[in-house]
Amino acid sequence: MLERIRIVLIGTSHPGNIGGVARAMHNMGLADLALVAPRCEVITQDSISRASGADHLLHQASVYATLEEAVSDCTLAVGASARSRTLPWPMLTPRELADRLPSECQAAASRVALVFGREDSGLTNAELQRCHAHVHIPTNADFSSLNLAAAVQVLAYECRMAWLSQQDVTPAPVADDELVTHEELERYFEHLERTLIAIEFHDPSQPRQLMARLRRLYLRARPEKMEMNILRGILSATEKAAGKP
Ligand code: SAH
C-alpha cells in the first residue's frame, strides 16, 4: 500500500524543506517523491542534512514541469491545504483520508497522490481543483499553516497507521529464549505443589482448585526456560528458608 502513495510538492522554494520531507517520508515508509517546478535546487547541503540519511529519496525524486504530469497515472489525488476556499472542495480530515487508503490502494495499478503547496502561497484554486478532495490538518484557526515537512509528516503518519491497521499487528511475544516444554512445566507444577504443601499454603485434602488456578496462570504466561529456572530457584530457596528442602 505505501509504495502506491506519492508525495507531490509544488513549487517548493527551500531545499531544507525538501530534505525534511524526504526524512518524514522515509520514517513512515513512503518513497515516491515528485517535485513540480521546484523553485530551488533539490540536492544541496541543506536538503541532504535535513534528510539525515533519507537523501536517496532526493536522488530518486522525479521532477515535473506541471502538476498534471506529476499525477497523470494517479487514481486518486488529494490536495493538502490549510486554507478554506470560496468554492469549497470535498473535504477530508487526515484520518478520513487514511480510512480510504486501504481500498484506494488495493488495485496493483492504483496510485494515490498527496499534493502539497508552496511555502509562501500554498496551492492555487486551480491546483486544488485538479484534486479529488481537499485534506485539511486541523490546526489552531489563528495559526493554521504548518511547515511543509511537518504537514507531510502528519499525513505520512496517517498513511502508516492505515497500513499498520491492515497488517497482523498482534505483537509477537517478547521471547529471547526458548519456551519451556510441557515436561519442564509439569516438573515445575510438581515442585510448586510440594513447596506450597511444605509451607502449609496448600492443603491437598482441601485443594479448592488452587493448583488448577496456578496452572492456568502459568500456562497463560508461556514461560521461557530462563524464567522457569528463576521460578524453580525461588521454590528451592523457599523450601530452604522453611527448613523443608
Ligand atoms: N502560506 C500557505 C501555506 C503554506 S504551508 C498558504 O497560505 O496556503 C505549505 C504547504 O503545507 C501547504 O500548501 C499545504 O500543502 C501544507 N499544509 C500546511 N498546513 C496545512 C494544514 N493545516 N492542512 C493541510 N495542509 C497544510
Side-chain angles (χ1 to χ4, degrees):
M1 182 191 118
L2 295 177
E3 71 282 4
R4 297 183 184 157
I5 299 174
R6 179 175 306 155
I7 299 295
V8 180
L9 308 182
I10 301 186
T12 312
S13 49
H14 298 294
N17 280 336
I18 303 181
V21 166
R23 180 184 189 168
M25 289 175 64
H26 193 39
N27 279 147
M28 296 298 128
L30 299 178
D32 187 354
L33 175 60
L35 305 167
V36 175
R39 290 182 291 163
C40 63
E41 278 195 66
V42 176
I43 313 283
T44 70
Q45 261 189 352
D46 223 18
S47 68
I48 289 171
S49 108
R50 284 279 306 278
S52 38
D55 46 295
H56 56 289
L57 263 68
L58 302 175
H59 293 280
Q60 287 164 20
S62 318
V63 180
Y64 299 94
T66 64
L67 173 61
E68 289 71 55
E69 290 167 79
V71 300
S72 64
D73 59 339
C74 290
T75 41
L76 178 75
V78 179
S81 175
R83 281 181 290 127
S84 57
R85 308 288 165 140
T86 33
L87 176 63
W89 215 242
M91 293 280 295
L92 290 174
T93 64
R95 198 63 48 88
E96 286 165 346
L97 168 64
D99 290 343
R100 282 179 59 170
L101 288 175
S103 60
E104 290 289 349
C105 293
Q106 209 156 17
S110 60
R111 289 288 175 282
V112 172
L114 305 181
V115 183
F116 296 81
R118 300 154 191 83
E119 291 96 328
D120 49 356
S121 57
L123 293 176
T124 64
N125 287 334
E127 286 159 350
L128 187 59
Q129 287 163 11
R130 277 176 175 62
C131 298
H132 296 88
H134 170 178
V135 61
H136 174 255
I137 301 164
T139 41
N140 179 354
D142 298 328
F143 192 62
S144 64
S145 168
L146 278 78
N147 163 266
L148 174 60
V152 171
Q153 181 74 77
V154 171
L155 295 193
Y157 170 75
E158 289 294 340
C159 293
R160 186 164 191 85
M161 292 303 283
W163 176 72
L164 279 174
S165 69
Q166 282 196 299
Q167 315 300 307
D168 180 8
V169 285
T170 318
V174 196
D176 54 5
D177 194 7
E178 280 175 57
L179 294 177
V180 292
T181 62
H182 179 78
E183 194 200 337
E184 287 163 328
L185 205 56
E186 287 308 310
R187 266 193 272 131
Y188 174 72
F189 288 136
E190 284 164 22
H191 194 175
L192 180 62
E193 184 160 21
R194 261 198 330 271
T195 308
L196 296 179
I197 293 170
I199 63 172
E200 293 174 15
F201 183 82
H202 173 43
D203 177 359
S205 66
Q206 283 198 337
R208 298 188 317 271
Q209 302 267 52
L210 175 70
M211 291 317 295
R213 289 183 193 282
L214 288 172
R215 252 173 197 282
R216 189 174 61 176
L217 168 69
Y218 286 104
L219 287 166
R220 192 164 70 220
R222 319 259 349 257
E224 298 169 11
K225 287 188 191 292
M226 175 53 75
E227 293 167 336
M228 188 92 292
N229 286 342
I230 295 170
L231 291 171
R232 294 287 295 251
I234 292 172
L235 292 184
S236 299
T238 307
E239 289 178 306
K240 195 170 158 204
K244 298 173 180 171

